[in-house]
Coordinates of all heavy atoms in Angstrom, one line a residue:
M1 N 9.3 -0.1 41.4 CA 8.5 1.1 41.4 C 7.2 0.8 40.5 O 7.3 0.5 39.4 CB 9.2 2.3 40.8 CG 9.8 2.1 39.4 SD 10.6 3.5 38.8 CE 12.2 3.4 39.6
T2 N 6.1 1.0 41.2 CA 4.8 0.7 40.5 C 4.1 2.0 40.3 O 3.7 2.7 41.2 CB 3.9 -0.3 41.3 OG1 4.7 -1.5 41.5 CG2 2.7 -0.6 40.5
D3 N 3.8 2.3 39.0 CA 3.1 3.6 38.7 C 1.6 3.2 38.4 O 1.3 2.6 37.4 CB 3.7 4.2 37.5 CG 3.0 5.6 37.2 OD1 2.0 5.9 37.9 OD2 3.4 6.2 36.2
P4 N 0.7 3.6 39.3 CA -0.7 3.3 39.1 C -1.3 3.9 37.9 O -2.4 3.5 37.4 CB -1.4 3.8 40.4 CG -0.5 4.8 40.9 CD 0.9 4.4 40.5
A5 N -0.7 4.9 37.3 CA -1.2 5.6 36.1 C -0.6 5.0 34.8 O -0.9 5.5 33.8 CB -0.9 7.1 36.2
A6 N 0.3 4.0 35.0 CA 0.9 3.4 33.8 C -0.2 2.8 32.9 O -1.1 2.2 33.4 CB 1.9 2.4 34.2
P7 N 0.0 2.9 31.6 CA -1.0 2.3 30.6 C -0.8 0.7 30.7 O 0.2 0.2 31.0 CB -0.5 2.8 29.3 CG 0.9 3.1 29.5 CD 1.1 3.6 30.9
P8 N -1.9 0.0 30.4 CA -1.9 -1.4 30.4 C -0.9 -2.0 29.4 O -0.7 -1.4 28.3 CB -3.3 -1.8 30.2 CG -3.9 -0.6 29.5 CD -3.2 0.6 30.0
Q9 N -0.4 -3.2 29.6 CA 0.6 -3.8 28.7 C -0.1 -4.2 27.4 O 0.6 -4.4 26.4 CB 1.1 -5.1 29.4 CG 2.0 -4.8 30.6 CD 3.3 -4.3 30.1 OE1 3.9 -4.6 29.1 NE2 3.9 -3.4 30.9
T10 N -1.4 -4.2 27.4 CA -2.1 -4.6 26.1 C -1.8 -3.6 25.0 O -2.1 -4.0 23.8 CB -3.6 -4.8 26.4 OG1 -4.0 -3.6 27.0 CG2 -3.9 -6.0 27.2
T11 N -1.4 -2.4 25.3 CA -1.1 -1.4 24.3 C 0.1 -1.8 23.4 O 0.2 -1.3 22.3 CB -0.9 0.0 24.9 OG1 0.1 -0.1 25.8 CG2 -2.2 0.4 25.5
R12 N 0.9 -2.7 23.9 CA 2.1 -3.0 23.2 C 2.2 -4.5 23.1 O 3.3 -5.1 23.2 CB 3.4 -2.4 23.8 CG 3.5 -2.7 25.3 CD 4.6 -1.9 25.9 NE 5.9 -2.3 25.4 CZ 6.7 -3.3 25.9 NH1 6.2 -4.0 26.9 NH2 7.8 -3.7 25.4
V13 N 1.1 -5.2 22.8 CA 1.1 -6.6 22.7 C 1.9 -7.1 21.4 O 1.8 -6.4 20.4 CB -0.3 -7.2 22.7 CG1 -1.1 -6.7 21.4 CG2 -0.3 -8.7 22.7
R14 N 2.7 -8.1 21.6 CA 3.4 -8.6 20.4 C 2.6 -9.7 19.8 O 1.9 -10.4 20.4 CB 4.8 -9.1 20.9 CG 5.7 -7.9 21.2 CD 6.9 -8.4 22.0 NE 7.8 -7.3 22.3 CZ 8.7 -7.3 23.2 NH1 8.9 -8.4 23.9 NH2 9.5 -6.3 23.4
R15 N 2.9 -9.9 18.5 CA 2.0 -10.8 17.7 C 2.8 -11.9 17.1 O 4.0 -11.8 16.9 CB 1.3 -10.0 16.6 CG 0.3 -9.1 17.2 CD -0.5 -8.3 16.2 NE -1.5 -7.5 16.8 CZ -2.7 -7.9 17.2 NH1 -3.1 -9.1 17.0 NH2 -3.5 -7.1 17.8
C16 N 2.1 -13.0 17.0 CA 2.7 -14.2 16.4 C 3.1 -13.9 14.9 O 2.3 -13.4 14.1 CB 1.6 -15.3 16.4 SG 2.1 -16.8 15.5
P17 N 4.3 -14.2 14.5 CA 4.8 -14.0 13.2 C 4.2 -14.9 12.1 O 4.3 -14.6 10.9 CB 6.3 -14.2 13.3 CG 6.5 -15.2 14.4 CD 5.4 -14.8 15.4
I18 N 3.5 -15.9 12.6 CA 2.9 -16.8 11.6 C 1.5 -16.4 11.3 O 1.1 -16.3 10.1 CB 2.9 -18.3 12.2 CG1 4.3 -18.7 12.5 CG2 2.2 -19.2 11.3 CD1 5.2 -18.8 11.3
C19 N 0.6 -16.2 12.3 CA -0.8 -15.9 12.0 C -1.2 -14.5 12.5 O -2.3 -14.1 12.3 CB -1.7 -17.0 12.7 SG -1.6 -16.9 14.5
N20 N -0.3 -13.8 13.2 CA -0.5 -12.4 13.6 C -1.5 -12.3 14.7 O -2.0 -11.2 15.0 CB -1.0 -11.6 12.4 CG -0.5 -10.1 12.5 OD1 0.7 -9.9 13.0 ND2 -1.2 -9.2 12.1
K21 N -1.8 -13.4 15.4 CA -2.6 -13.3 16.6 C -1.6 -12.9 17.8 O -0.4 -13.1 17.7 CB -3.2 -14.6 16.9 CG -4.3 -15.0 16.0 CD -4.9 -16.4 16.4 CE -5.9 -16.8 15.4 NZ -6.4 -18.2 15.7
P22 N -2.2 -12.4 18.9 CA -1.4 -12.0 20.0 C -0.7 -13.3 20.5 O -1.3 -14.4 20.6 CB -2.4 -11.6 21.1 CG -3.6 -11.1 20.3 CD -3.6 -12.0 19.0
R23 N 0.6 -13.2 20.8 CA 1.4 -14.3 21.2 C 1.1 -14.7 22.6 O 0.7 -14.0 23.4 CB 2.9 -14.0 21.0 CG 3.4 -13.1 22.1 CD 4.9 -13.0 22.0 NE 5.5 -12.6 20.7 CZ 6.7 -12.3 20.5 NH1 7.6 -12.3 21.5 NH2 7.1 -11.9 19.3
V24 N 1.3 -16.0 22.9 CA 1.2 -16.6 24.2 C 2.6 -16.8 24.8 O 3.4 -17.3 24.1 CB 0.4 -17.9 24.1 CG1 0.4 -18.5 25.5 CG2 -1.0 -17.7 23.6
E25 N 2.7 -16.3 26.0 CA 4.1 -16.3 26.6 C 4.7 -17.7 26.6 O 5.8 -17.9 26.4 CB 4.0 -15.8 28.1 CG 5.3 -15.4 28.6 CD 5.9 -14.2 27.8 OE1 5.1 -13.3 27.4 OE2 7.1 -14.2 27.6
A26 N 3.8 -18.7 26.9 CA 4.3 -20.1 27.0 C 4.9 -20.6 25.6 O 5.7 -21.5 25.6 CB 3.2 -21.0 27.4
H27 N 4.4 -20.0 24.5 CA 4.9 -20.4 23.2 C 5.6 -19.3 22.5 O 5.8 -19.4 21.3 CB 3.6 -20.8 22.4 CG 2.8 -21.8 23.0 ND1 3.2 -23.1 23.5 CD2 1.4 -21.8 23.4 CE1 2.2 -23.7 24.0 NE2 1.1 -23.0 24.0
S28 N 6.1 -18.3 23.2 CA 6.8 -17.2 22.6 C 7.9 -17.6 21.7 O 8.6 -18.6 22.0 CB 7.4 -16.4 23.8 OG 8.1 -15.3 23.3
P29 N 8.0 -17.0 20.5 CA 7.3 -15.8 20.1 C 6.0 -16.1 19.3 O 5.5 -15.2 18.6 CB 8.3 -15.1 19.2 CG 9.0 -16.2 18.5 CD 9.1 -17.3 19.5
F30 N 5.5 -17.3 19.4 CA 4.3 -17.7 18.7 C 3.1 -17.7 19.6 O 3.2 -17.6 20.8 CB 4.5 -19.0 18.0 CG 5.7 -19.1 17.2 CD1 6.9 -19.7 17.6 CD2 5.8 -18.4 16.0 CE1 8.0 -19.7 16.9 CE2 6.9 -18.4 15.2 CZ 8.1 -19.0 15.6
C31 N 1.9 -18.0 19.0 CA 0.7 -18.0 19.8 C 0.3 -19.4 20.2 O -0.6 -19.5 21.1 CB -0.5 -17.4 18.9 SG -1.0 -18.4 17.6
S32 N 0.9 -20.4 19.6 CA 0.5 -21.7 19.9 C 1.6 -22.7 19.4 O 2.5 -22.3 18.7 CB -0.8 -22.1 19.3 OG -0.6 -22.0 17.9
T33 N 1.5 -23.9 19.9 CA 2.5 -24.9 19.5 C 2.3 -25.2 18.0 O 3.3 -25.5 17.3 CB 2.3 -26.3 20.2 OG1 0.9 -26.6 20.1 CG2 2.7 -26.1 21.7
R34 N 1.1 -25.0 17.5 CA 0.9 -25.2 16.0 C 1.7 -24.3 15.2 O 2.3 -24.6 14.2 CB -0.6 -25.1 15.7 CG -0.9 -25.4 14.3 CD -2.3 -25.0 13.9 NE -3.3 -25.8 14.6 CZ -4.6 -25.7 14.4 NH1 -5.1 -24.8 13.6 NH2 -5.5 -26.4 15.1
C35 N 1.6 -23.0 15.6 CA 2.4 -22.0 14.8 C 3.9 -22.2 15.0 O 4.7 -22.0 14.1 CB 2.0 -20.6 15.3 SG 0.4 -20.1 14.6
R36 N 4.3 -22.6 16.2 CA 5.7 -22.9 16.4 C 6.2 -24.0 15.5 O 7.2 -23.9 14.8 CB 5.9 -23.3 17.9 CG 7.4 -23.3 18.2 CD 7.6 -23.6 19.7 NE 7.0 -24.9 20.1 CZ 6.9 -25.3 21.3 NH1 7.3 -24.5 22.3 NH2 6.4 -26.5 21.5
D37 N 5.4 -25.1 15.4 CA 5.8 -26.2 14.6 C 5.7 -25.8 13.1 O 6.6 -26.2 12.3 CB 4.8 -27.4 14.8 CG 5.0 -28.0 16.1 OD1 6.0 -27.8 16.8 OD2 4.1 -28.8 16.5
R38 N 4.8 -25.0 12.8 CA 4.7 -24.5 11.4 C 5.9 -23.7 10.9 O 6.4 -23.9 9.8 CB 3.4 -23.7 11.2 CG 2.8 -23.7 9.9 CD 1.4 -23.2 9.9 NE 1.3 -22.0 9.0 CZ 0.2 -21.2 8.9 NH1 -0.8 -21.5 9.7 NH2 0.2 -20.2 8.0
D39 N 6.4 -22.9 11.8 CA 7.6 -22.1 11.5 C 8.8 -23.0 11.4 O 9.6 -22.9 10.5 CB 7.8 -21.1 12.7 CG 9.0 -20.2 12.4 OD1 8.8 -19.3 11.5 OD2 10.1 -20.4 13.0
L40 N 8.9 -24.0 12.2 CA 10.0 -25.0 12.2 C 10.0 -25.7 10.9 O 11.0 -25.9 10.2 CB 9.9 -25.9 13.4 CG 11.0 -27.0 13.4 CD1 12.4 -26.3 13.6 CD2 10.8 -27.9 14.6
V41 N 8.8 -26.2 10.5 CA 8.6 -27.0 9.3 C 9.0 -26.1 8.1 O 9.6 -26.6 7.1 CB 7.2 -27.5 9.1 CG1 6.9 -28.0 7.7 CG2 6.9 -28.6 10.1
R42 N 8.6 -24.9 8.1 CA 8.9 -23.9 7.0 C 10.4 -23.8 6.8 O 10.9 -23.8 5.7 CB 8.2 -22.6 7.3 CG 8.2 -21.7 6.1 CD 7.6 -20.4 6.4 NE 8.3 -19.6 7.4 CZ 8.0 -18.5 7.9 NH1 6.8 -17.9 7.6 NH2 8.7 -17.9 8.8
W43 N 11.0 -23.7 7.9 CA 12.5 -23.5 7.9 C 13.1 -24.8 7.3 O 14.0 -24.7 6.4 CB 13.1 -23.2 9.3 CG 13.0 -21.8 9.6 CD1 11.9 -21.1 10.0 CD2 14.1 -20.9 9.6 NE1 12.3 -19.8 10.2 CE2 13.6 -19.6 10.0 CE3 15.5 -21.0 9.3 CZ2 14.4 -18.5 10.0 CZ3 16.3 -19.9 9.3 CH2 15.8 -18.6 9.7
L44 N 12.7 -25.9 7.7 CA 13.2 -27.2 7.2 C 12.9 -27.4 5.8 O 13.8 -27.8 5.0 CB 12.6 -28.3 8.0 CG 13.1 -28.4 9.5 CD1 12.3 -29.5 10.2 CD2 14.6 -28.6 9.7
D45 N 11.7 -27.0 5.4 CA 11.3 -27.1 4.0 C 12.2 -26.3 3.1 O 12.5 -26.6 1.9 CB 9.8 -26.7 3.8 CG 8.9 -27.8 4.2 OD1 9.4 -28.9 4.4 OD2 7.7 -27.6 4.2
E46 N 12.6 -25.1 3.5 CA 13.3 -24.2 2.7 C 14.8 -24.5 2.7 O 15.6 -23.9 2.1 CB 13.1 -22.8 3.2 CG 11.7 -22.3 2.9 CD 11.4 -20.9 3.4 OE1 12.4 -20.3 3.9 OE2 10.3 -20.4 3.3
G47 N 15.2 -25.6 3.5 CA 16.5 -26.1 3.4 C 17.6 -25.3 4.2 O 18.7 -25.4 3.9
Y48 N 17.1 -24.5 5.2 CA 18.1 -23.8 6.0 C 18.8 -24.8 7.0 O 18.1 -25.6 7.6 CB 17.4 -22.7 6.8 CG 17.0 -21.6 6.0 CD1 15.7 -21.4 5.6 CD2 17.9 -20.6 5.7 CE1 15.3 -20.3 4.8 CE2 17.6 -19.5 4.9 CZ 16.2 -19.4 4.5 OH 15.9 -18.3 3.7
A49 N 20.1 -24.7 7.0 CA 20.9 -25.5 7.9 C 21.3 -24.8 9.1 O 22.4 -24.3 9.3 CB 22.1 -26.0 7.2
V50 N 20.3 -24.6 10.0 CA 20.6 -23.9 11.2 C 20.6 -24.9 12.4 O 19.8 -25.7 12.5 CB 19.5 -22.8 11.5 CG1 19.7 -21.6 10.6 CG2 18.1 -23.3 11.3
P51 N 21.6 -24.7 13.3 CA 21.7 -25.7 14.4 C 20.8 -25.4 15.6 O 21.0 -25.7 16.7 CB 23.2 -25.4 14.9 CG 23.4 -24.0 14.5 CD 22.6 -23.7 13.3
G52 N 19.7 -24.7 15.3 CA 18.7 -24.4 16.3 C 17.7 -23.4 15.8 O 17.8 -23.0 14.7
P53 N 16.8 -23.0 16.7 CA 15.8 -22.0 16.3 C 16.4 -20.7 16.1 O 17.4 -20.4 16.7 CB 14.8 -22.0 17.5 CG 15.6 -22.5 18.6 CD 16.6 -23.5 18.1
P54 N 15.9 -19.9 15.2 CA 16.5 -18.6 14.9 C 16.4 -17.7 16.1 O 15.4 -17.7 16.9 CB 15.6 -18.0 13.7 CG 14.3 -18.8 13.8 CD 14.7 -20.2 14.4
A55 N 17.4 -16.8 16.3 CA 17.4 -15.9 17.4 C 16.2 -14.9 17.3 O 16.0 -14.4 16.2 CB 18.7 -15.2 17.5
D56 N 15.6 -14.6 18.4 CA 14.5 -13.7 18.4 C 15.0 -12.4 19.1 O 15.1 -12.3 20.3 CB 13.3 -14.2 19.1 CG 12.1 -13.2 19.1 OD1 12.2 -12.2 18.3 OD2 11.2 -13.5 19.8
P57 N 15.2 -11.3 18.3 CA 15.7 -10.0 18.9 C 14.6 -9.4 19.8 O 15.0 -8.6 20.6 CB 15.9 -9.2 17.7 CG 15.1 -9.7 16.6 CD 15.0 -11.2 16.9
E58 N 13.4 -9.9 19.7 CA 12.3 -9.3 20.6 C 12.2 -10.1 21.9 O 11.3 -9.8 22.7 CB 11.0 -9.3 19.8 CG 11.0 -8.3 18.7 CD 9.6 -8.3 18.0 OE1 8.6 -8.7 18.6 OE2 9.6 -7.8 16.9
M59 N 12.9 -11.1 22.0 CA 12.8 -12.0 23.2 C 13.1 -11.2 24.5 O 14.1 -10.5 24.6 CB 13.8 -13.1 23.1 CG 13.7 -14.1 24.2 SD 12.5 -15.4 23.8 CE 13.5 -16.5 22.8
D60 N 12.1 -11.2 25.4 CA 12.4 -10.5 26.6 C 12.3 -11.4 27.8 O 11.2 -12.0 28.1 CB 11.3 -9.3 26.8 CG 9.9 -9.8 26.5 OD1 9.7 -11.0 26.1 OD2 9.0 -9.1 26.8
N61 N 13.4 -11.6 28.4 CA 13.4 -12.6 29.6 C 13.1 -11.8 30.9 O 13.8 -11.0 31.2 CB 14.8 -13.2 29.7 CG 15.1 -14.1 28.5 OD1 14.2 -14.8 28.1 ND2 16.3 -14.0 27.9
Ligands
LIG1 ZN1 0.0 -18.0 15.5

């Protein structure tokens, strides 16, 4: 069902948790590979022993 009067998706854009820019779907939940890597490095630096990336409750498939 398509509602022609529906507001554009831009009103609820999600943002990169690293730099707060609008996220890019290809790098979700981040805006770029740089931010994704930065998040990973931060986790490693802080010594978290996680067997994978943290779960993202906002992930929409
Ligand atoms: Zn970013």
Side-chain angles (χ1 to χ4, degrees):
M1 58 178 78
T2 303
D3 183 359
Q9 290 289 325
T10 50
T11 54
R12 53 189 290 275
V13 64
R14 288 166 177 162
R15 292 180 178 277
C16 172
I18 302 299
C19 68
N20 214 36
K21 289 179 183 175
R23 72 171 59 170
V24 174
E25 199 62 39
H27 307 302
S28 179
F30 307 104
C31 70
S32 63
T33 53
R34 183 189 295 181
C35 282
R36 190 177 60 189
D37 289 348
R38 208 165 120 185
D39 184 73
L40 181 62
V41 167
R42 191 179 65 183
W43 275 76
L44 293 175
D45 279 353
E46 292 179 6
Y48 285 99
V50 285
D56 180 12
E58 291 183 18
M59 187 90 77
D60 50 352
N61 293 318

